[in-house]
Each structure stands twice: as C-alpha cells, then as structure tokens.
Amino acid sequence: MKIEEITITKAIIDEFFDKLKSAVESDVCIVGAGPSGLVAGRYLAEKGLSVSLFERKLSIGGGIWGGGMMFNKVVVQKEALEVLEDAGVDYRQYDENHYVCDAVELSSALTYRAVKAGVKFFNLVNVEDVIIKERKVCGLVINWYPVEMCSLSVDPLAITCRAVIDATGHDASVCTIVAKKTGKLNIAGEKSMWAEKAEEAVVKHTSEVYPGLFVTGMSVAAVYGLPRMGPIFGGMLLSGKKVAELVYSTVF
Ligand code: 48F
C-alpha cells in the first residue's frame, strides 16, 4: 500500500476548499458552536438548507465541556428531554424535574447530529463583522481567529446568506457589532443568576433582533438583559430548536 505525503496534502486542500466554496453563499450562517448553535444548525440543515457554522475556538461544543465549574455533568429540565432524546443522549432522572447527562456525551452527540445533517463547520474562524445592505444583515465578515489573537493586519473574507444566527453565548458578539455599527439595537447586558426565570425567558425571547439577524442561547440573555442560569442547559437546547423553526418559517 502506497501512502504519499503530497496526496495527503492535496486531499486536505481540495476537500477543504470545496467546502469553503460551497459555504460562501449559504442559506444560513450560525456564529458559535455551543449547544444552541449546534441544535439550530442540525434542525435547519435537516430542512435541506445550506448551513455554515463558524466557531473561533479549535473545539466544537462551547460551554458544554466544562459542565458546572469543570464538573463535566450538565442538568436539563423535563421540558427539554425531547432534544436530548432526538440527539440520542442518555440521561438520568435526579428528581421530578431535574435530569443529568454527561457533558462529553452531550457535546459529542450534538456535534455529530449537526455534521450528519449537513452543517458545514469552520472552526478557528472568527466572525469580526457582518455585511449590512439596505438595513438588513445579509452576510458575515470572517478571518482566522489566530489572526486576531496575534493582532495581524490581514484583511478578512466575506460570506453571504439569508439569515445570520448569533449563538455566541455570553458575548453576543454579532449583536454587539450590529448594535455598535447601526445604533439600532440595544444590548441590555446579562443579569445575575436566577435559573428558573432565565430558562423560561431565554426561550421566550429567542427572536429576530434586527432584519436578517436572529439570536439564540446565552446571547438572548445579553441582548434582552435576562438573568443567567448557570449549568442547566435545557433553555439552550430549546432556544436552538426555536430559532431554527423561526428562521425556517420566516425566511424560507
Ligand atoms: O457559550 P456557548 O456554549 O453558547 P450557548 O449556546 O450556550 C451557553 C452555555 O454553554 C453556558 C450556559 C448554559 O446555561 O450558560 O454558558 O449560548 O458557545 C458560544 C460559542 O461561540 C463562540 C465561542 O468561542 C463559543 O464556543 N464565539 C463567540 N464569539 C465568536 C465565536 C465569534 N465572534 N466568532 C466565532 N465564534
């Protein structure tokens, strides 16, 4: 069996550039590969849409891996068990409404389901701006995250799409950029912890916050000034599912 270094190199370059070229005109772009972004991506890709997901870190999964204070278990309430079951994640009942699952299994399963549904993943890619035309977000401005980390002066590239989903967690990075550059969006800032209220509110406020820009997960709390919930993840999963339904029904 012959193995050639040059063939390995060409295979990686060819396959990656095919993926990148197929993503430059996406139906939906998701920023952030935490629980809400992964769930949203899966359900939108299963509808047959072309979905690209940009994550600035090397790993996919966002805040799932660390569970609570690095204890890698996460809690999910009864209402969100359907999303766990749909992803094939095992869980144990802790009491009447609290269930526990393994953070590593949750992160891997959500990622696997999204990949299998057809989501195109771009890790190590930072979203540094958006394209806005006629008061509508219609694309992303991207660069390698190491470019930002090293403060290199390298111009970015652009991706177009019909809807952008900000799933960047506590930072609400995309909404913050749009707020700053348009003056039309207010970022209220996340409030202190109140798990029950936060879990309900984060799903309720999952919405389109500017034409073409939708928000899901912890970013919802940052935009709307909701309390934080800590390591209970049902709201993240349900928010991801809700934003997928919202984007599909209003944009496509
Ligand atoms: O923080 P994160 O997991 O977002 P989430 O889906 O879930 C929040 C929970 O993990 C947890 C919680 C649970 O109740 O409170 O915190 O709302 O994942 C967000 C991802 O977005 C990436 C970031 O690296 C992380 O993996 N990200 C943030 N800004 C950018 C980005 C950006 N500008 N470009 C690309 N990726």
Side-chain angles (χ1 to χ4, degrees):
M1 194 166 49
K2 204 166 167 223
I3 291 177
E4 294 281 3
E5 292 79 3
I6 198 65
T7 309
I8 297 167
T9 303
K10 282 179 177 171
I12 290 172
I13 293 172
D14 285 345
E15 288 295 312
F16 185 81
F17 279 91
D18 280 351
K19 180 168 75 162
L20 186 58
K21 271 198 274 181
S22 74
V24 292
E25 290 173 289
S26 296
D27 289 324
V28 181
C29 285
I30 300 174
V31 189
S36 62
L38 290 172
V39 169
R42 175 202 170 163
Y43 288 127
L44 283 164
E46 282 180 349
K47 294 275 190 199
L49 299 179
S50 145
V51 181
S52 302
L53 197 156
F54 301 91
E55 165 56 55
R56 66 181 171 198
K57 294 210 179 119
L58 179 58
S59 65
I60 299 302
I64 302 174
W65 298 106
M69 217 180 102
M70 296 198 217
F71 300 170
N72 59 6
K73 294 281 173 188
V74 304
V75 173
V76 170
Q77 62 275 49
K78 206 180 213 165
E79 294 75 17
L81 292 181
E82 50 171 288
V83 186
L84 290 189
E85 284 164 9
D86 211 15
V89 176
D90 291 339
Y91 55 80
R92 275 161 55 96
Q93 185 163 15
Y94 191 76
D95 73 6
E96 205 187 317
N97 192 40
H98 297 79
Y99 294 75
V100 186
C101 68
D102 186 82
V104 174
E105 183 179 352
L106 179 63
S107 193
S108 315
L110 296 183
T111 306
Y112 180 75
R113 295 293 171 193
V115 171
K116 285 298 177 193
V119 176
K120 282 164 261 185
F121 281 83
F122 297 92
N123 54 338
L124 291 169
V125 173
N126 185 49
V127 172
E128 60 172 57
D129 205 344
V130 295
I131 306 172
I132 296 184
K133 291 187 186 176
E134 285 150 10
R135 293 200 209 125
K136 186 177 186 305
V137 172
C138 47
L140 296 177
V141 178
I142 60 165
N143 213 331
W144 295 113
Y145 193 36
V147 166
E148 182 181 297
M149 291 166 81
C150 302
S151 305
L152 303 177
S153 303
V154 178
D155 262 325
L157 291 176
I159 306 280
T160 62
C161 58
R162 289 175 63 190
V164 167
I165 300 176
D166 185 340
T168 62
H170 299 262
D171 295 348
S173 312
V174 185
C175 292
T176 302
I177 292 163
V178 171
K180 202 168 122 196
K181 299 206 174 183
T182 66
K184 298 282 182 205
L185 175 61
N186 180 46
I187 309 293
E190 178 189 298
K191 302 292 186 288
S192 292
M193 195 180 282
W194 185 353
E196 188 178 78
K197 193 172 176 195
E199 282 292 274
E200 234 185 87
V202 91
V203 181
K204 187 173 159 218
H205 287 88
T206 297
S207 57
E208 186 174 21
V209 289
Y210 185 87
L213 174 62
F214 295 75
V215 69
T216 184
M218 273 319 282
S219 296
V220 177
V223 172
Y224 286 97
L226 310 176
R228 62 189 301 181
M229 71 290 289
I232 177 158
F233 277 68
M236 299 298 111
L237 305 175
L238 292 171
S239 172
K241 193 171 181 189
K242 180 178 170 185
V243 84
E245 286 160 5
L246 206 59
V247 167
Y248 189 70
S249 63
T250 57
V251 182
F252 295 94

